[in-house]
Amino acid sequence: MIRKEAQEQAAVFEWAAWASKRTPELNLLYHVPNGGSRNPVEARNLKAQGVKAGVPDLVLPVARGQYHGLYIELKRKGGRPQESQLWWIAHLREQGYAALICYGADDARATIARYLNGEDVLAP
């Protein structure tokens, strides 16, 4: 069974809660609730308040190595990023952030762990 992105994301946060006992920086991991369907009035209000399409789903505001923090666009396995998401990733990288797409909770957990261990998660 293919999990939905919301399920993948919940699995990442379940892991982060467990792993934060050993790695307290994981308590800073948060989700940017930019996605989802909304009625037109709510969508207009949120846009006026600064919601922007394509902002990555997960943010870890912890500096490591050359990066100011980590941004992850989480896709389910087989998912595809939108142009606005690729735009954000490219521009966040220009500003000194590690920003990338992860496919599934396992990929996201491994990326976060490598990042916190000081590995360059953007290296080929």
Side-chain angles (χ1 to χ4, degrees):
M1 177 173 108
I2 297 177
R3 294 197 305 191
K4 295 181 179 180
E5 284 181 25
Q7 293 169 310
E8 297 287 352
Q9 192 163 288
V12 171
F13 279 92
E14 183 178 324
W15 164 80
W18 171 82
S20 67
K21 294 169 184 65
R22 193 170 35 105
T23 310
E25 296 94 334
L26 285 169
N27 289 310
L28 295 172
L29 181 67
Y30 66 93
H31 164 62
V32 177
N34 271 354
S37 58
R38 298 178 173 97
N39 70 56
V41 173
E42 184 179 10
R44 200 168 33 254
N45 288 338
L46 289 172
K47 186 173 182 180
Q49 294 172 39
V51 169
K52 296 185 178 185
V55 174
D57 298 307
L58 307 178
V59 181
L60 183 60
V62 174
R64 283 292 186 276
Q66 64 184 346
Y67 302 111
H68 303 306
L70 175 65
Y71 282 82
I72 294 176
E73 175 58 38
L74 184 59
K75 295 292 182 191
R76 65 175 175 78
K77 293 175 185 171
R80 289 191 204 170
Q82 298 172 4
E83 284 300 317
S84 60
Q85 294 166 332
L86 296 173
W87 184 92
W88 272 97
I89 288 170
H91 286 83
L92 287 165
R93 286 179 179 184
E94 288 175 4
Q95 296 301 315
Y97 292 92
L100 66 159
I101 300 167
C102 290
Y103 295 92
D106 292 340
D107 187 20
R109 287 188 294 251
T111 298
I112 293 166
R114 288 189 352 259
Y115 178 81
L116 288 173
N117 284 331
E119 296 176 40
D120 186 351
V121 294
L122 300 183

Short mmCIF file of all heavy atoms in Angstrom, two decimals, residues 8-20 23-33 56-63 69-74 98 100 102 105 107-113 115-116:
data_model
loop_
_atom_site.label_atom_id
_atom_site.label_comp_id
_atom_site.label_asym_id
_atom_site.label_seq_id
_atom_site.Cartn_x
_atom_site.Cartn_y
_atom_site.Cartn_z
N GLU A 8 3.30 9.86 5.60
CA GLU A 8 4.78 9.87 5.59
C GLU A 8 5.29 10.92 6.58
O GLU A 8 6.21 10.68 7.36
CB GLU A 8 5.32 10.15 4.19
CG GLU A 8 4.96 9.12 3.15
CD GLU A 8 5.72 7.80 3.28
OE1 GLU A 8 6.65 7.69 4.11
OE2 GLU A 8 5.37 6.87 2.54
N GLN A 9 4.67 12.08 6.54
CA GLN A 9 5.09 13.18 7.41
C GLN A 9 4.85 12.83 8.88
O GLN A 9 5.69 13.10 9.74
CB GLN A 9 4.35 14.45 7.03
CG GLN A 9 4.91 15.66 7.67
CD GLN A 9 4.43 16.89 6.96
OE1 GLN A 9 4.85 17.17 5.84
NE2 GLN A 9 3.55 17.62 7.59
N ALA A 10 3.71 12.25 9.17
CA ALA A 10 3.41 11.84 10.55
C ALA A 10 4.45 10.84 11.05
O ALA A 10 4.88 10.89 12.20
CB ALA A 10 2.00 11.27 10.64
N ALA A 11 4.88 9.96 10.17
CA ALA A 11 5.90 8.97 10.54
C ALA A 11 7.23 9.65 10.86
O ALA A 11 7.95 9.24 11.79
CB ALA A 11 6.07 7.94 9.43
N VAL A 12 7.57 10.71 10.14
CA VAL A 12 8.80 11.46 10.42
C VAL A 12 8.72 12.09 11.80
O VAL A 12 9.65 12.01 12.60
CB VAL A 12 9.06 12.55 9.35
CG1 VAL A 12 10.21 13.46 9.77
CG2 VAL A 12 9.35 11.91 8.00
N PHE A 13 7.58 12.69 12.13
CA PHE A 13 7.44 13.37 13.43
C PHE A 13 7.34 12.37 14.58
O PHE A 13 7.79 12.66 15.69
CB PHE A 13 6.29 14.35 13.41
CG PHE A 13 6.69 15.65 12.77
CD1 PHE A 13 6.50 15.86 11.42
CD2 PHE A 13 7.31 16.63 13.52
CE1 PHE A 13 6.92 17.03 10.82
CE2 PHE A 13 7.73 17.82 12.93
CZ PHE A 13 7.53 18.01 11.58
N GLU A 14 6.80 11.20 14.33
CA GLU A 14 6.79 10.15 15.36
C GLU A 14 8.23 9.74 15.67
O GLU A 14 8.62 9.62 16.83
CB GLU A 14 5.97 8.96 14.87
CG GLU A 14 5.83 7.86 15.89
CD GLU A 14 4.97 6.72 15.38
OE1 GLU A 14 4.00 6.98 14.64
OE2 GLU A 14 5.28 5.56 15.71
N TRP A 15 9.03 9.54 14.63
CA TRP A 15 10.44 9.21 14.82
C TRP A 15 11.17 10.34 15.53
O TRP A 15 11.95 10.09 16.45
CB TRP A 15 11.09 8.93 13.45
CG TRP A 15 12.58 8.97 13.51
CD1 TRP A 15 13.42 7.99 13.95
CD2 TRP A 15 13.42 10.07 13.12
NE1 TRP A 15 14.73 8.40 13.87
CE2 TRP A 15 14.75 9.68 13.36
CE3 TRP A 15 13.17 11.33 12.59
CZ2 TRP A 15 15.83 10.51 13.09
CZ3 TRP A 15 14.24 12.17 12.32
CH2 TRP A 15 15.56 11.76 12.57
N ALA A 16 10.92 11.60 15.11
CA ALA A 16 11.62 12.74 15.71
C ALA A 16 11.32 12.86 17.20
O ALA A 16 12.21 13.16 18.00
CB ALA A 16 11.24 14.03 14.98
N ALA A 17 10.07 12.61 17.59
CA ALA A 17 9.71 12.65 19.01
C ALA A 17 10.49 11.60 19.79
O ALA A 17 11.01 11.87 20.88
CB ALA A 17 8.21 12.45 19.18
N TRP A 18 10.61 10.41 19.23
CA TRP A 18 11.35 9.33 19.88
C TRP A 18 12.84 9.66 19.93
O TRP A 18 13.49 9.54 20.97
CB TRP A 18 11.10 8.02 19.13
CG TRP A 18 11.97 6.90 19.60
CD1 TRP A 18 11.77 6.11 20.69
CD2 TRP A 18 13.20 6.47 19.00
NE1 TRP A 18 12.81 5.21 20.81
CE2 TRP A 18 13.70 5.42 19.79
CE3 TRP A 18 13.93 6.89 17.89
CZ2 TRP A 18 14.88 4.77 19.48
CZ3 TRP A 18 15.11 6.24 17.59
CH2 TRP A 18 15.58 5.19 18.39
N ALA A 19 13.40 10.10 18.80
CA ALA A 19 14.84 10.34 18.70
C ALA A 19 15.29 11.61 19.42
O ALA A 19 16.48 11.78 19.70
CB ALA A 19 15.25 10.40 17.22
N SER A 20 14.35 12.50 19.74
CA SER A 20 14.73 13.76 20.38
C SER A 20 15.27 13.56 21.80
O SER A 20 15.95 14.44 22.33
CB SER A 20 13.55 14.73 20.42
OG SER A 20 12.54 14.25 21.28
N THR A 23 18.72 13.27 20.67
CA THR A 23 19.12 14.39 19.82
C THR A 23 18.11 15.52 20.02
O THR A 23 17.14 15.64 19.27
CB THR A 23 19.14 13.94 18.34
OG1 THR A 23 19.90 12.73 18.22
CG2 THR A 23 19.77 15.00 17.46
N PRO A 24 18.30 16.35 21.04
CA PRO A 24 17.30 17.36 21.39
C PRO A 24 17.02 18.39 20.30
O PRO A 24 15.96 19.01 20.28
CB PRO A 24 17.85 18.03 22.65
CG PRO A 24 19.16 17.43 22.92
CD PRO A 24 19.40 16.31 21.98
N GLU A 25 17.94 18.57 19.35
CA GLU A 25 17.71 19.51 18.25
C GLU A 25 16.46 19.14 17.44
O GLU A 25 15.85 19.99 16.80
CB GLU A 25 18.91 19.57 17.30
CG GLU A 25 20.17 20.10 17.92
CD GLU A 25 21.07 18.99 18.46
OE1 GLU A 25 20.56 17.90 18.81
OE2 GLU A 25 22.28 19.22 18.54
N LEU A 26 16.09 17.87 17.48
CA LEU A 26 14.90 17.43 16.74
C LEU A 26 13.61 18.06 17.27
O LEU A 26 12.60 18.09 16.57
CB LEU A 26 14.78 15.90 16.76
CG LEU A 26 15.77 15.19 15.84
CD1 LEU A 26 15.77 13.69 16.13
CD2 LEU A 26 15.46 15.46 14.39
N ASN A 27 13.65 18.59 18.49
CA ASN A 27 12.48 19.30 19.01
C ASN A 27 12.19 20.57 18.22
O ASN A 27 11.09 21.11 18.31
CB ASN A 27 12.68 19.64 20.49
CG ASN A 27 12.60 18.41 21.36
OD1 ASN A 27 11.66 17.62 21.25
ND2 ASN A 27 13.58 18.22 22.22
N LEU A 28 13.15 21.06 17.46
CA LEU A 28 12.97 22.26 16.65
C LEU A 28 12.37 21.96 15.27
O LEU A 28 12.01 22.89 14.55
CB LEU A 28 14.31 22.98 16.47
CG LEU A 28 14.92 23.55 17.75
CD1 LEU A 28 16.32 24.07 17.48
CD2 LEU A 28 14.03 24.63 18.32
N LEU A 29 12.27 20.70 14.90
CA LEU A 29 11.69 20.32 13.61
C LEU A 29 10.22 20.70 13.58
O LEU A 29 9.48 20.42 14.52
CB LEU A 29 11.85 18.81 13.38
CG LEU A 29 11.32 18.26 12.06
CD1 LEU A 29 12.14 18.77 10.88
CD2 LEU A 29 11.35 16.73 12.11
N TYR A 30 9.79 21.36 12.50
CA TYR A 30 8.38 21.71 12.38
C TYR A 30 7.90 21.62 10.94
O TYR A 30 8.69 21.58 10.01
CB TYR A 30 8.09 23.10 12.96
CG TYR A 30 8.73 24.26 12.23
CD1 TYR A 30 8.03 24.95 11.24
CD2 TYR A 30 10.00 24.70 12.57
CE1 TYR A 30 8.60 26.03 10.59
CE2 TYR A 30 10.56 25.79 11.92
CZ TYR A 30 9.87 26.44 10.94
OH TYR A 30 10.43 27.52 10.29
N HIS A 31 6.59 21.61 10.80
CA HIS A 31 5.91 21.51 9.51
C HIS A 31 5.35 22.87 9.11
O HIS A 31 4.81 23.59 9.94
CB HIS A 31 4.77 20.50 9.63
CG HIS A 31 3.76 20.56 8.52
ND1 HIS A 31 4.08 20.31 7.20
CD2 HIS A 31 2.44 20.83 8.52
CE1 HIS A 31 3.00 20.44 6.46
NE2 HIS A 31 2.00 20.76 7.24
N VAL A 32 5.49 23.21 7.83
CA VAL A 32 4.90 24.43 7.28
C VAL A 32 3.59 24.03 6.61
O VAL A 32 3.61 23.36 5.59
CB VAL A 32 5.86 25.09 6.26
CG1 VAL A 32 5.21 26.31 5.63
CG2 VAL A 32 7.18 25.44 6.91
N PRO A 33 2.46 24.41 7.18
CA PRO A 33 1.15 23.96 6.64
C PRO A 33 0.67 24.80 5.47
O PRO A 33 -0.34 25.48 5.55
CB PRO A 33 0.23 24.09 7.85
CG PRO A 33 0.81 25.22 8.63
CD PRO A 33 2.31 25.13 8.43
N PRO A 56 8.84 24.46 1.25
CA PRO A 56 9.03 23.07 1.69
C PRO A 56 8.24 22.74 2.96
O PRO A 56 7.97 23.60 3.80
CB PRO A 56 10.54 22.97 1.94
CG PRO A 56 11.11 23.99 1.00
CD PRO A 56 10.12 25.13 1.04
N ASP A 57 7.91 21.46 3.10
CA ASP A 57 7.06 20.96 4.18
C ASP A 57 7.71 21.01 5.56
O ASP A 57 7.05 21.30 6.55
CB ASP A 57 6.66 19.51 3.90
CG ASP A 57 5.87 19.36 2.63
OD1 ASP A 57 4.86 20.06 2.48
OD2 ASP A 57 6.25 18.52 1.79
N LEU A 58 8.97 20.64 5.63
CA LEU A 58 9.64 20.47 6.92
C LEU A 58 10.81 21.43 7.04
O LEU A 58 11.55 21.65 6.08
CB LEU A 58 10.18 19.04 7.06
CG LEU A 58 9.18 17.91 6.85
CD1 LEU A 58 9.88 16.57 6.98
CD2 LEU A 58 8.02 18.02 7.81
N VAL A 59 10.97 21.98 8.24
CA VAL A 59 12.07 22.90 8.51
C VAL A 59 12.76 22.46 9.81
O VAL A 59 12.10 22.23 10.82
CB VAL A 59 11.58 24.36 8.66
CG1 VAL A 59 12.76 25.29 8.92
CG2 VAL A 59 10.79 24.80 7.44
N LEU A 60 14.07 22.36 9.74
CA LEU A 60 14.89 22.11 10.93
C LEU A 60 15.85 23.29 11.06
O LEU A 60 16.88 23.35 10.38
CB LEU A 60 15.66 20.79 10.79
CG LEU A 60 16.48 20.38 12.01
CD1 LEU A 60 15.61 20.19 13.24
CD2 LEU A 60 17.26 19.10 11.71
N PRO A 61 15.52 24.28 11.92
CA PRO A 61 16.33 25.49 12.04
C PRO A 61 17.56 25.28 12.92
O PRO A 61 17.74 25.93 13.95
CB PRO A 61 15.36 26.51 12.63
CG PRO A 61 14.44 25.68 13.47
CD PRO A 61 14.31 24.36 12.74
N VAL A 62 18.41 24.35 12.48
CA VAL A 62 19.62 24.00 13.20
C VAL A 62 20.78 24.10 12.22
O VAL A 62 20.76 23.44 11.18
CB VAL A 62 19.54 22.57 13.77
CG1 VAL A 62 20.85 22.14 14.40
CG2 VAL A 62 18.39 22.45 14.77
N ALA A 63 21.76 24.94 12.51
CA ALA A 63 22.92 25.09 11.64
C ALA A 63 23.84 23.88 11.76
O ALA A 63 24.04 23.37 12.86
CB ALA A 63 23.67 26.37 11.99
N GLY A 69 20.40 25.85 8.06
CA GLY A 69 19.31 24.99 8.48
C GLY A 69 18.94 24.06 7.35
O GLY A 69 19.51 24.11 6.26
N LEU A 70 17.95 23.21 7.61
CA LEU A 70 17.53 22.19 6.65
C LEU A 70 16.07 22.37 6.30
O LEU A 70 15.21 22.52 7.18
CB LEU A 70 17.74 20.80 7.27
CG LEU A 70 17.25 19.59 6.48
CD1 LEU A 70 18.02 19.42 5.18
CD2 LEU A 70 17.36 18.33 7.35
N TYR A 71 15.77 22.37 5.00
CA TYR A 71 14.40 22.38 4.48
C TYR A 71 14.19 21.11 3.67
O TYR A 71 15.03 20.76 2.84
CB TYR A 71 14.17 23.57 3.55
CG TYR A 71 13.97 24.89 4.24
CD1 TYR A 71 15.04 25.64 4.68
CD2 TYR A 71 12.68 25.39 4.41
CE1 TYR A 71 14.84 26.88 5.29
CE2 TYR A 71 12.48 26.63 5.02
CZ TYR A 71 13.56 27.35 5.45
OH TYR A 71 13.37 28.57 6.05
N ILE A 72 13.06 20.45 3.92
CA ILE A 72 12.73 19.23 3.18
C ILE A 72 11.34 19.36 2.58
O ILE A 72 10.37 19.64 3.28
CB ILE A 72 12.77 17.98 4.09
CG1 ILE A 72 14.20 17.72 4.56
CG2 ILE A 72 12.18 16.77 3.38
CD1 ILE A 72 14.33 16.57 5.54
N GLU A 73 11.26 19.13 1.28
CA GLU A 73 9.98 18.93 0.61
C GLU A 73 9.75 17.43 0.63
O GLU A 73 10.51 16.67 0.02
CB GLU A 73 10.01 19.47 -0.83
CG GLU A 73 8.75 19.20 -1.60
CD GLU A 73 7.50 19.78 -0.95
OE1 GLU A 73 7.54 20.89 -0.40
OE2 GLU A 73 6.46 19.08 -0.98
N LEU A 74 8.74 16.99 1.36
CA LEU A 74 8.49 15.56 1.52
C LEU A 74 7.44 15.11 0.52
O LEU A 74 6.33 15.63 0.48
CB LEU A 74 8.02 15.27 2.95
CG LEU A 74 7.80 13.80 3.29
CD1 LEU A 74 9.08 12.99 3.10
CD2 LEU A 74 7.29 13.66 4.70
N ALA A 98 20.45 23.99 3.41
CA ALA A 98 20.36 22.68 2.77
C ALA A 98 18.87 22.48 2.49
O ALA A 98 18.06 22.47 3.42
CB ALA A 98 20.89 21.58 3.70
N LEU A 100 16.12 20.20 0.01
CA LEU A 100 16.03 19.09 -0.92
C LEU A 100 14.69 18.39 -0.83
O LEU A 100 13.89 18.68 0.06
CB LEU A 100 17.17 18.10 -0.68
CG LEU A 100 17.19 17.35 0.64
CD1 LEU A 100 18.02 16.10 0.50
CD2 LEU A 100 17.75 18.20 1.74
N CYS A 102 12.75 14.80 -0.34
CA CYS A 102 12.87 13.43 0.17
C CYS A 102 11.63 12.66 -0.25
O CYS A 102 10.52 13.22 -0.26
CB CYS A 102 13.01 13.41 1.69
SG CYS A 102 14.59 14.05 2.28
N ALA A 105 9.10 8.70 4.29
CA ALA A 105 9.57 8.95 5.65
C ALA A 105 10.97 8.40 5.88
O ALA A 105 11.79 9.04 6.54
CB ALA A 105 8.59 8.34 6.66
N ASP A 107 13.46 8.08 3.79
CA ASP A 107 14.42 8.99 3.16
C ASP A 107 14.57 10.26 4.00
O ASP A 107 15.69 10.73 4.24
CB ASP A 107 13.95 9.32 1.74
CG ASP A 107 14.96 10.11 0.93
OD1 ASP A 107 16.16 10.13 1.27
OD2 ASP A 107 14.53 10.73 -0.08
N ALA A 108 13.46 10.82 4.47
CA ALA A 108 13.52 12.04 5.28
C ALA A 108 14.25 11.80 6.60
O ALA A 108 15.10 12.61 6.99
CB ALA A 108 12.10 12.56 5.55
N ARG A 109 13.94 10.71 7.28
CA ARG A 109 14.63 10.40 8.55
C ARG A 109 16.13 10.25 8.34
O ARG A 109 16.93 10.79 9.10
CB ARG A 109 14.05 9.14 9.17
CG ARG A 109 12.68 9.32 9.76
CD ARG A 109 12.23 8.09 10.53
NE ARG A 109 12.04 6.94 9.67
CZ ARG A 109 10.87 6.41 9.36
NH1 ARG A 109 9.76 6.93 9.83
NH2 ARG A 109 10.79 5.34 8.59
N ALA A 110 16.51 9.52 7.30
CA ALA A 110 17.94 9.32 7.02
C ALA A 110 18.62 10.64 6.68
O ALA A 110 19.74 10.90 7.14
CB ALA A 110 18.10 8.32 5.88
N THR A 111 17.94 11.49 5.92
CA THR A 111 18.51 12.79 5.55
C THR A 111 18.69 13.67 6.78
O THR A 111 19.74 14.30 6.96
CB THR A 111 17.60 13.50 4.52
OG1 THR A 111 17.55 12.69 3.34
CG2 THR A 111 18.11 14.88 4.19
N ILE A 112 17.70 13.71 7.65
CA ILE A 112 17.79 14.51 8.87
C ILE A 112 18.92 14.00 9.75
O ILE A 112 19.71 14.79 10.28
CB ILE A 112 16.44 14.51 9.62
CG1 ILE A 112 15.38 15.25 8.80
CG2 ILE A 112 16.59 15.13 11.02
CD1 ILE A 112 13.95 15.03 9.28
N ALA A 113 19.02 12.69 9.92
CA ALA A 113 20.08 12.12 10.74
C ALA A 113 21.45 12.44 10.17
O ALA A 113 22.36 12.82 10.92
CB ALA A 113 19.88 10.60 10.86
N TYR A 115 22.23 14.97 8.23
CA TYR A 115 22.43 16.41 8.40
C TYR A 115 22.90 16.72 9.82
O TYR A 115 23.86 17.45 10.03
CB TYR A 115 21.13 17.16 8.07
CG TYR A 115 21.25 18.64 8.27
CD1 TYR A 115 21.83 19.45 7.30
CD2 TYR A 115 20.81 19.25 9.45
CE1 TYR A 115 21.96 20.83 7.48
CE2 TYR A 115 20.93 20.62 9.64
CZ TYR A 115 21.51 21.39 8.65
OH TYR A 115 21.64 22.75 8.84
N LEU A 116 22.21 16.17 10.81
CA LEU A 116 22.57 16.44 12.21
C LEU A 116 23.93 15.86 12.57
O LEU A 116 24.59 16.35 13.49
CB LEU A 116 21.49 15.90 13.14
CG LEU A 116 20.19 16.72 13.13
CD1 LEU A 116 19.12 16.01 13.95
CD2 LEU A 116 20.43 18.13 13.64
#
